[in-house]
Amino acid sequence: MSDEIEEVQRVSEALEDVDRIADLEERVRARNRVLALQARRVKGWHAERRDLVLALRAQDPPVPIRTIAARLEMSAGVVQDIIRGHTGSWKDRAKSEAQDG
């Protein structure tokens, strides 16, 4: 198993440990701490992911979207969203004129 997969597995096991906390109040407090830690990291993680996707597309020739998706283990749609600069939920995106009519 690669170091990368081992790291992800350790994080997954730690989250499962939090889910197994018997006392409801303690479990919710622990989950809140985990969510707060994740929220502090997510902006940087998204920026790093975007930088890599754009760098791969900037190569000559550009790495295909499906290849990027497979390499980074995400959907091609997410890769396209990153390239287009879309962030957030679809419900928060501006509608095109063709959809408004």
Side-chain angles (χ1 to χ4, degrees):
M1 188 181 299
S2 75
D3 289 342
E4 165 196 334
I5 294 170
E6 289 176 22
E7 293 297 329
V8 171
Q9 184 61 39
R10 287 199 328 232
V11 170
S12 179
E13 289 168 2
L15 292 172
E16 289 172 11
D17 288 345
V18 169
D19 287 344
R20 284 193 287 272
I21 295 173
D23 180 78
L24 177 60
E25 187 172 334
E26 187 179 339
R27 184 172 58 248
V28 169
R29 249 191 328 268
R31 286 175 176 167
N32 285 339
R33 285 188 221 122
V34 170
L35 289 170
L37 289 168
Q38 185 269 344
R40 285 190 287 245
R41 287 177 171 81
V42 74
K43 188 174 183 178
W45 286 11
H46 282 168
E48 190 172 86
R49 178 176 72 173
R50 180 179 184 280
D51 291 346
L52 178 56
V53 167
L54 295 178
L56 292 169
R57 287 297 286 173
Q59 291 180 8
D60 188 21
V63 178
I65 289 171
R66 290 181 186 194
T67 302
I68 294 171
R71 284 175 52 181
L72 302 183
E73 299 180 3
M74 64 176 72
S75 73
V78 169
V79 174
Q80 288 176 323
D81 283 350
I82 291 168
I83 292 166
R84 293 174 182 151
H86 295 308
T87 58
S89 169
W90 272 98
K91 70 182 178 101
D92 298 328
R93 296 182 189 173
K95 304 230 184 313
S96 70
E97 289 183 32
Q99 292 175 332
D100 290 341

